[in-house]
mmCIF file of all heavy atoms in Angstrom:
data_model
loop_
_atom_site.group_PDB
_atom_site.id
_atom_site.type_symbol
_atom_site.label_atom_id
_atom_site.label_comp_id
_atom_site.label_asym_id
_atom_site.label_seq_id
_atom_site.Cartn_x
_atom_site.Cartn_y
_atom_site.Cartn_z
ATOM 1 N N THR X 55 120.564 135.006 187.375
ATOM 2 C CA THR X 55 119.423 135.732 187.935
ATOM 3 C C THR X 55 119.928 136.979 188.632
ATOM 4 O O THR X 55 121.117 137.076 188.970
ATOM 5 C CB THR X 55 118.637 134.881 188.956
ATOM 6 O OG1 THR X 55 119.527 134.548 190.039
ATOM 7 C CG2 THR X 55 118.107 133.599 188.335
ATOM 8 N N MET X 56 119.048 137.921 188.855
ATOM 9 C CA MET X 56 119.429 139.143 189.556
ATOM 10 C C MET X 56 119.877 138.815 190.973
ATOM 11 O O MET X 56 120.818 139.401 191.488
ATOM 12 C CB MET X 56 118.256 140.117 189.579
ATOM 13 C CG MET X 56 117.933 140.736 188.232
ATOM 14 S SD MET X 56 119.246 141.833 187.678
ATOM 15 C CE MET X 56 119.090 143.150 188.871
ATOM 16 N N MET X 57 119.184 137.881 191.592
ATOM 17 C CA MET X 57 119.466 137.580 193.003
ATOM 18 C C MET X 57 120.784 136.843 193.195
ATOM 19 O O MET X 57 121.513 137.111 194.145
ATOM 20 C CB MET X 57 118.327 136.746 193.585
ATOM 21 C CG MET X 57 117.019 137.489 193.721
ATOM 22 S SD MET X 57 117.146 138.822 194.919
ATOM 23 C CE MET X 57 117.421 137.901 196.422
ATOM 24 N N ARG X 58 121.107 135.918 192.292
ATOM 25 C CA ARG X 58 122.234 135.012 192.533
ATOM 26 C C ARG X 58 123.378 135.167 191.541
ATOM 27 O O ARG X 58 124.394 134.497 191.660
ATOM 28 C CB ARG X 58 121.731 133.578 192.544
ATOM 29 C CG ARG X 58 120.651 133.321 193.606
ATOM 30 C CD ARG X 58 120.112 131.905 193.499
ATOM 31 N NE ARG X 58 121.132 130.924 193.837
ATOM 32 C CZ ARG X 58 121.343 130.471 195.066
ATOM 33 N NH1 ARG X 58 120.599 130.914 196.082
ATOM 34 N NH2 ARG X 58 122.278 129.570 195.305
ATOM 35 N N GLY X 59 123.193 136.025 190.532
ATOM 36 C CA GLY X 59 124.250 136.205 189.553
ATOM 37 C C GLY X 59 124.395 134.984 188.657
ATOM 38 O O GLY X 59 123.441 134.250 188.425
ATOM 39 N N LEU X 60 125.621 134.760 188.162
ATOM 40 C CA LEU X 60 125.920 133.632 187.285
ATOM 41 C C LEU X 60 126.300 132.425 188.131
ATOM 42 O O LEU X 60 127.295 132.443 188.838
ATOM 43 C CB LEU X 60 127.085 133.971 186.373
ATOM 44 C CG LEU X 60 126.818 134.439 184.951
ATOM 45 C CD1 LEU X 60 128.120 134.834 184.285
ATOM 46 C CD2 LEU X 60 126.112 133.380 184.134
ATOM 47 N N GLU X 61 125.521 131.362 187.994
ATOM 48 C CA GLU X 61 125.792 130.140 188.753
ATOM 49 C C GLU X 61 126.075 128.999 187.794
ATOM 50 O O GLU X 61 125.314 128.777 186.848
ATOM 51 C CB GLU X 61 124.573 129.741 189.589
ATOM 52 C CG GLU X 61 124.087 130.752 190.582
ATOM 53 C CD GLU X 61 122.823 130.248 191.233
ATOM 54 O OE1 GLU X 61 121.749 130.342 190.604
ATOM 55 O OE2 GLU X 61 122.894 129.746 192.383
ATOM 56 N N LEU X 62 127.134 128.254 188.058
ATOM 57 C CA LEU X 62 127.438 127.083 187.249
ATOM 58 C C LEU X 62 126.428 125.981 187.527
ATOM 59 O O LEU X 62 126.150 125.658 188.681
ATOM 60 C CB LEU X 62 128.830 126.558 187.559
ATOM 61 C CG LEU X 62 129.215 125.281 186.807
ATOM 62 C CD1 LEU X 62 129.518 125.600 185.342
ATOM 63 C CD2 LEU X 62 130.392 124.587 187.466
ATOM 64 N N LEU X 63 125.887 125.414 186.464
ATOM 65 C CA LEU X 63 125.013 124.253 186.604
ATOM 66 C C LEU X 63 125.791 122.969 186.379
ATOM 67 O O LEU X 63 125.759 122.055 187.206
ATOM 68 C CB LEU X 63 123.849 124.343 185.623
ATOM 69 C CG LEU X 63 122.915 125.541 185.811
ATOM 70 C CD1 LEU X 63 121.864 125.568 184.704
ATOM 71 C CD2 LEU X 63 122.246 125.495 187.173
ATOM 72 N N ILE X 64 126.496 122.892 185.238
ATOM 73 C CA ILE X 64 127.209 121.664 184.909
ATOM 74 C C ILE X 64 128.344 121.988 183.952
ATOM 75 O O ILE X 64 128.273 122.950 183.188
ATOM 76 C CB ILE X 64 126.251 120.614 184.290
ATOM 77 C CG1 ILE X 64 126.942 119.252 184.136
ATOM 78 C CG2 ILE X 64 125.673 121.104 182.965
ATOM 79 C CD1 ILE X 64 125.971 118.120 183.829
ATOM 80 N N TYR X 65 129.398 121.167 184.021
ATOM 81 C CA TYR X 65 130.590 121.331 183.201
ATOM 82 C C TYR X 65 130.913 119.999 182.536
ATOM 83 O O TYR X 65 130.972 118.968 183.199
ATOM 84 C CB TYR X 65 131.745 121.812 184.081
ATOM 85 C CG TYR X 65 133.137 121.602 183.536
ATOM 86 C CD1 TYR X 65 133.495 122.070 182.280
ATOM 87 C CD2 TYR X 65 134.115 120.970 184.307
ATOM 88 C CE1 TYR X 65 134.779 121.899 181.802
ATOM 89 C CE2 TYR X 65 135.400 120.789 183.834
ATOM 90 C CZ TYR X 65 135.726 121.254 182.579
ATOM 91 O OH TYR X 65 137.006 121.093 182.108
ATOM 92 N N PHE X 66 131.082 120.043 181.208
ATOM 93 C CA PHE X 66 131.493 118.873 180.439
ATOM 94 C C PHE X 66 132.913 119.095 179.915
ATOM 95 O O PHE X 66 133.260 120.204 179.490
ATOM 96 C CB PHE X 66 130.584 118.665 179.212
ATOM 97 C CG PHE X 66 129.180 118.256 179.524
ATOM 98 C CD1 PHE X 66 128.197 119.212 179.740
ATOM 99 C CD2 PHE X 66 128.823 116.922 179.571
ATOM 100 C CE1 PHE X 66 126.882 118.844 180.004
ATOM 101 C CE2 PHE X 66 127.516 116.544 179.832
ATOM 102 C CZ PHE X 66 126.550 117.508 180.049
ATOM 103 N N ASN X 67 133.695 118.039 179.902
ATOM 104 C CA ASN X 67 134.985 118.066 179.225
ATOM 105 C C ASN X 67 135.045 116.860 178.303
ATOM 106 O O ASN X 67 134.842 115.723 178.745
ATOM 107 C CB ASN X 67 136.141 118.049 180.229
ATOM 108 C CG ASN X 67 137.489 118.227 179.554
ATOM 109 O OD1 ASN X 67 138.253 117.279 179.396
ATOM 110 N ND2 ASN X 67 137.775 119.424 179.123
ATOM 111 N N ASN X 68 135.334 117.110 177.034
ATOM 112 C CA ASN X 68 135.332 116.030 176.035
ATOM 113 C C ASN X 68 134.053 115.191 176.113
ATOM 114 O O ASN X 68 134.099 113.960 176.108
ATOM 115 C CB ASN X 68 136.575 115.150 176.199
ATOM 116 C CG ASN X 68 137.843 115.876 175.803
ATOM 117 O OD1 ASN X 68 137.860 116.661 174.855
ATOM 118 N ND2 ASN X 68 138.918 115.634 176.538
ATOM 119 N N ASN X 69 132.926 115.882 176.236
ATOM 120 C CA ASN X 69 131.579 115.303 176.218
ATOM 121 C C ASN X 69 131.213 114.579 177.517
ATOM 122 O O ASN X 69 130.106 114.036 177.619
ATOM 123 C CB ASN X 69 131.372 114.332 175.052
ATOM 124 C CG ASN X 69 131.836 114.890 173.729
ATOM 125 O OD1 ASN X 69 131.940 116.098 173.571
ATOM 126 N ND2 ASN X 69 132.136 114.012 172.796
ATOM 127 N N VAL X 70 132.099 114.538 178.476
ATOM 128 C CA VAL X 70 131.851 113.821 179.723
ATOM 129 C C VAL X 70 131.512 114.819 180.828
ATOM 130 O O VAL X 70 132.236 115.805 181.016
ATOM 131 C CB VAL X 70 133.097 113.002 180.137
ATOM 132 C CG1 VAL X 70 132.870 112.323 181.481
ATOM 133 C CG2 VAL X 70 133.445 111.982 179.059
ATOM 134 N N PRO X 71 130.415 114.587 181.563
ATOM 135 C CA PRO X 71 130.105 115.490 182.674
ATOM 136 C C PRO X 71 131.150 115.360 183.783
ATOM 137 O O PRO X 71 131.358 114.273 184.307
ATOM 138 C CB PRO X 71 128.724 115.027 183.129
ATOM 139 C CG PRO X 71 128.611 113.613 182.679
ATOM 140 C CD PRO X 71 129.424 113.500 181.426
ATOM 141 N N ILE X 72 131.785 116.483 184.117
ATOM 142 C CA ILE X 72 132.839 116.482 185.117
ATOM 143 C C ILE X 72 132.328 116.984 186.469
ATOM 144 O O ILE X 72 132.692 116.468 187.516
ATOM 145 C CB ILE X 72 134.026 117.341 184.660
ATOM 146 C CG1 ILE X 72 134.573 116.849 183.323
ATOM 147 C CG2 ILE X 72 135.118 117.372 185.727
ATOM 148 C CD1 ILE X 72 135.083 115.418 183.342
ATOM 149 N N ASP X 73 131.502 118.001 186.434
ATOM 150 C CA ASP X 73 131.009 118.599 187.664
ATOM 151 C C ASP X 73 129.555 119.001 187.466
ATOM 152 O O ASP X 73 129.273 119.898 186.679
ATOM 153 C CB ASP X 73 131.867 119.815 188.032
ATOM 154 C CG ASP X 73 131.501 120.411 189.398
ATOM 155 O OD1 ASP X 73 130.371 120.194 189.883
ATOM 156 O OD2 ASP X 73 132.359 121.108 189.980
ATOM 157 N N ASP X 74 128.659 118.313 188.129
ATOM 158 C CA ASP X 74 127.230 118.667 188.045
ATOM 159 C C ASP X 74 126.701 119.097 189.415
ATOM 160 O O ASP X 74 125.493 119.047 189.664
ATOM 161 C CB ASP X 74 126.402 117.520 187.482
ATOM 162 C CG ASP X 74 126.398 116.307 188.400
ATOM 163 O OD1 ASP X 74 127.115 116.327 189.432
ATOM 164 O OD2 ASP X 74 125.674 115.342 188.107
ATOM 165 N N SER X 75 127.596 119.514 190.283
ATOM 166 C CA SER X 75 127.193 119.871 191.644
ATOM 167 C C SER X 75 126.279 121.086 191.688
ATOM 168 O O SER X 75 125.594 121.312 192.673
ATOM 169 C CB SER X 75 128.434 120.127 192.514
ATOM 170 O OG SER X 75 129.215 121.170 191.972
ATOM 171 N N GLY X 76 126.249 121.851 190.618
ATOM 172 C CA GLY X 76 125.396 123.032 190.577
ATOM 173 C C GLY X 76 123.987 122.765 190.081
ATOM 174 O O GLY X 76 123.135 123.653 190.130
ATOM 175 N N MET X 77 123.722 121.570 189.626
ATOM 176 C CA MET X 77 122.372 121.243 189.149
ATOM 177 C C MET X 77 121.444 121.262 190.364
ATOM 178 O O MET X 77 121.638 120.498 191.322
ATOM 179 C CB MET X 77 122.361 119.872 188.486
ATOM 180 C CG MET X 77 123.235 119.818 187.239
ATOM 181 S SD MET X 77 122.502 120.703 185.854
ATOM 182 C CE MET X 77 121.712 119.312 185.020
ATOM 183 N N PRO X 78 120.410 122.106 190.316
ATOM 184 C CA PRO X 78 119.603 122.349 191.518
ATOM 185 C C PRO X 78 118.963 121.104 192.124
ATOM 186 O O PRO X 78 118.951 120.933 193.318
ATOM 187 C CB PRO X 78 118.545 123.337 191.041
ATOM 188 C CG PRO X 78 119.105 123.954 189.811
ATOM 189 C CD PRO X 78 119.950 122.912 189.172
ATOM 190 N N GLU X 79 118.431 120.269 191.308
ATOM 191 C CA GLU X 79 117.716 119.093 191.812
ATOM 192 C C GLU X 79 117.458 118.156 190.654
ATOM 193 O O GLU X 79 117.874 118.411 189.526
ATOM 194 C CB GLU X 79 116.406 119.525 192.472
ATOM 195 C CG GLU X 79 115.589 120.496 191.642
ATOM 196 C CD GLU X 79 114.590 121.279 192.474
ATOM 197 O OE1 GLU X 79 114.958 122.347 192.989
ATOM 198 O OE2 GLU X 79 113.445 120.825 192.581
ATOM 199 N N ASP X 80 116.786 117.057 190.967
ATOM 200 C CA ASP X 80 116.584 116.026 189.943
ATOM 201 C C ASP X 80 115.734 116.491 188.771
ATOM 202 O O ASP X 80 115.700 115.822 187.737
ATOM 203 C CB ASP X 80 115.947 114.783 190.574
ATOM 204 C CG ASP X 80 116.896 114.079 191.514
ATOM 205 O OD1 ASP X 80 118.110 114.393 191.465
ATOM 206 O OD2 ASP X 80 116.450 113.239 192.300
#
Side-chain angles (χ1 to χ4, degrees):
Chain X
T55 61
M56 289 293 292
M57 292 295 295
R58 302 176 66 90
L60 262 175
E61 301 175 281
L62 177 74
L63 298 176
I64 189 167
Y65 160 54
F66 291 89
N67 186 255
N68 291 323
N69 312 338
V70 176
I72 303 300
D73 186 338
D74 65 355
S75 59
M77 297 287 264
E79 48 200 89
D80 292 346

